[in-house]
Amino acid sequence: MTKRIDATKKAIELIKILQEKHGDLMFYQAGGCCEGTQPQCFEKGGFYQRLGDVCIGTIENAEFWVDKDLFEYWKHAHFTLDVIDAFGVGGFSLETPLKKTFRIEYRIFTPDEELSLEPLTYIE
């Protein structure tokens, strides 16, 4: 099966630090005006998804949810979670006090990858 999301070593290191401090985590990537398309990290259950939102996979046991409209646009893309030294737009994400910002890099799936994608989970 082809994963829909992966993470860089730097992102995994930061996730582990946040898990030590906050426990179980979740990610949500919206497509709205205020938070842009920056992935945001919350304590698990700290953000309520909307009907139709999509879980594209997990990173270090943290579910990665995508806004239903944004997913429709990026459903043919692989996501790679990375982190940079910066203050992100949202400010609500758990990495913000550490002066870090999660970000996503995209690439289009190959035709072979499209045939073996991991299943999705939807909010119904």
Side-chain angles (χ1 to χ4, degrees):
M1 299 302 276
T2 301
K3 293 178 71 169
R4 294 174 181 271
I5 185 160
D6 285 304
T8 64
K9 287 181 185 179
K10 284 174 44 177
I12 290 171
E13 289 170 6
L14 181 55
I15 290 168
K16 289 179 179 180
I17 291 168
L18 294 173
Q19 286 171 328
E20 286 179 21
K21 184 173 183 177
H22 299 283
D24 292 338
L25 303 175
M26 66 178 289
F27 286 89
Y28 188 81
Q29 184 161 347
C33 63
C34 298
E35 67 282 346
T37 55
Q38 171 190 334
Q40 302 227 10
C41 182
F42 300 99
E43 292 178 359
K44 187 171 183 171
F47 183 87
Y48 295 104
Q49 304 92 326
R50 298 181 312 152
L51 190 64
D53 285 348
V54 183
C55 180
I56 63 169
T58 60
I59 301 170
E60 296 297 308
N61 296 316
E63 294 176 339
F64 194 98
W65 290 89
V66 178
D67 169 85
K68 64 182 179 179
D69 298 324
L70 184 66
F71 178 75
E72 189 60 31
Y73 185 77
W74 285 107
K75 66 184 173 186
H76 300 289
H78 178 271
F79 289 47
T80 300
L81 183 68
D82 196 8
V83 65
I84 57 173
D85 294 327
F87 182 77
V89 290
F92 298 110
S93 195
L94 294 175
E95 80 280 5
T96 301
L98 302 175
K99 298 180 182 169
K100 305 282 186 188
T101 297
F102 285 110
R103 72 173 180 171
I104 289 292
E105 295 176 5
Y106 303 97
R107 70 167 176 81
I108 302 301
F109 289 119
T110 66
D112 287 341
E113 287 174 325
E114 284 270 1
L115 296 174
S116 65
L117 291 173
E118 286 185 336
L120 299 166
T121 302
Y122 293 87
I123 297 291
E124 296 182 25

